[in-house]
Amino acid sequence: MTRPIIGITMGDASGVGPEIIIKALAKEEIYRQCRPIVIGDAKILERARNIVGASLAVRPIEEIETAIFQWGTVDCLDLDLLPADLPFGQVSAQAGDAAFRFLERAIELAKAEKIDAICTAPLNKEALHKGGHLYPGHTEILAELTDTQDYSMMLTAPKLRVIHVTTHVGILDAVRMINPERVYKVIALADETLKKAGIASPRIAVCGINPHAGENGLFGYGEEEEKVIPAVLRAQQEGIEVVGPLPADTLFYRATRGDFDIVVAMYHDQGHAPVKVLGLEAGVNITVGLPIIRTSVDHGTAFDIAGKGIADELSMLEAIRQAIELAPKNASTLPGWGSGCV
């Protein structure tokens, strides 16, 4: 089987992204499973190689067709947007703009079917905004540049999958944004995504908004009855195996026990906190509903340790593996990359 081409975006180069990419691509197993290419800045990647002490060669290229995909050599589609002495751990408009440009190029390549999936290193939202790109994060950029209306963030960790109805908004805004149509669409996305991943009948559980899922009106102002229950009933009528709303304080435990394949969380921290408790180093962020595959590390730019060579690459490794798993099975074969190259 042809190994999929995974485009790895560098993220904010003032953070740990370049270091964890180098550490991950030092693993020979990655090259046995896929054909990785970094989309970023070659001189920054070379600096990261020196910092972590990896015995790898960084190979700048201008076109993806010239990549060689050989372990020991990191192909870097070099956009050459940054100075070699870019400071570590500082919010930079230049780094924020570059992070956007790296992702923009990756999306173009994925839409043209020149890469099979995108795996993103973290960006810094403040730097992104200073660079002139007013998005809450990766997910919203991906949605806009692929003209996607219905999408959601899914997090995976050992023994747990979580998909979100709302993400990067304040809690009061999140409650206002939750409505039956949005909840239903996220349930349907969860069902579709897990079926594509090989789970024939995904078991889906939906969180309540209030403590104890409102407890029949005791807590809140009837949000569960107004916003959640109609969506669950609609999904059940369509044959989706879904239950809820259920109290979040016990639901995540039940999911890790194996009662459910995925949990629908109502807002950012409701879903993120359990995943990160289970293992920040192994968490992966997957954007579902897009016409392209995108996975990401589930941590930030870690400015406080950038440039020290101590950042953990485990989340990046797992994000690459998830991208491989989700990539189309008829992986890209560009000119000169026939079956003899796999």
Side-chain angles (χ1 to χ4, degrees):
M1 183 176 67
T2 304
R3 295 171 298 158
I5 301 172
I6 308 298
I8 304 171
T9 59
M10 190 177 285
D12 192 305
S14 293
V16 297
E19 296 168 52
I20 60 174
I21 290 171
I22 287 290
K23 286 185 174 183
L25 296 186
K27 312 290 186 185
E28 187 176 6
E29 66 186 79
I30 294 298
Y31 283 79
R32 288 197 294 264
Q33 299 171 37
C34 74
R35 293 174 286 174
I37 182 167
V38 180
I39 302 163
D41 193 294
K43 56 184 168 299
I44 297 295
L45 208 58
E46 289 174 352
R47 181 174 70 167
R49 176 202 60 195
N50 295 335
I51 289 169
V52 305
S55 56
L56 299 172
V58 175
R59 181 172 178 265
I61 59 175
E62 295 183 2
E63 300 293 338
I64 191 172
E65 289 81 0
T66 62
I68 60 173
F69 303 119
Q70 293 178 359
W71 177 61
T73 298
V74 178
D75 293 300
C76 178
L77 190 61
D78 186 14
L79 274 61
D80 192 22
L81 296 173
L82 296 168
D85 60 350
L86 180 76
F88 291 111
Q90 295 182 20
V91 173
S92 159
Q94 195 171 18
D97 177 61
F100 176 86
R101 301 298 172 192
F102 302 153
L103 181 60
E104 181 182 48
R105 177 65 65 87
I107 293 169
E108 291 171 357
L109 291 168
K111 289 168 68 175
E113 299 183 352
K114 292 188 175 184
I115 60 176
D116 299 295
I118 299 170
C119 180
T120 58
L123 54 72
N124 179 281
K125 295 176 180 62
E126 185 180 352
L128 182 71
H129 292 179
K130 282 193 172 184
H133 308 289
L134 302 181
Y135 297 89
H138 273 114
T139 302
E140 293 78 11
I141 299 171
L142 285 149
E144 180 168 311
L145 297 187
T146 59
D147 297 317
T148 301
Q149 300 300 317
D150 297 327
Y151 60 91
S152 184
M153 175 189 294
M154 183 170 81
L155 302 181
T156 67
K159 300 183 179 180
L160 182 64
R161 300 182 188 91
V162 182
I163 191 168
H164 291 70
V165 173
T166 67
T167 50
H168 297 116
V169 294
I171 187 66
L172 296 180
D173 291 330
V175 174
R176 283 192 289 267
M177 290 171 64
I178 298 166
N179 60 65
E181 183 66 19
R182 173 61 181 167
V183 175
Y184 165 77
K185 286 179 178 178
V186 173
I187 294 169
L189 281 172
D191 186 63
E192 177 186 4
T193 300
L194 294 194
K195 283 178 177 174
K196 286 181 178 178
I199 300 174
S201 298
R203 299 164 300 161
I204 303 168
V206 179
C207 287
I209 299 170
N210 294 295
H212 302 274
E215 203 163 305
N216 298 315
L218 183 61
F219 303 110
Y221 298 92
E223 287 87 358
E224 279 75 18
E225 289 77 9
E226 175 191 349
K227 297 169 178 284
V228 182
I229 291 175
V232 173
L233 292 174
R234 177 181 171 186
Q236 289 173 340
Q237 290 167 359
E238 295 182 5
I240 296 175
E241 190 174 337
V242 57
V243 295
L246 299 175
D249 57 357
T250 54
L251 174 51
F252 288 100
Y253 166 73
R254 293 182 61 191
T256 61
R257 189 176 66 184
D259 293 0
F260 305 106
D261 296 303
I262 191 166
V263 174
V264 177
M266 291 295 117
Y267 51 89
H268 183 281
D269 284 15
Q270 187 181 60
H272 277 61
V275 169
K276 294 188 176 183
V277 166
L278 287 173
L280 184 64
E281 74 283 352
V284 176
N285 180 335
I286 302 168
T287 308
V288 299
L290 300 174
I292 59 180
I293 303 299
R294 179 262 176 160
T295 68
S296 178
V297 296
D298 188 32
H299 60 73
T301 49
F303 277 176
D304 57 323
I305 61 170
K308 298 179 180 179
I310 60 175
D312 194 315
E313 75 276 18
L314 290 181
S315 184
M316 173 57 75
L317 282 167
E318 189 58 33
I320 294 171
R321 293 187 185 111
Q322 291 281 350
I324 294 165
E325 186 69 24
L326 294 169
K329 301 314 173 193
N330 55 336
S332 299
T333 303
L334 295 180
W337 299 344
S339 59
C341 299
V342 301

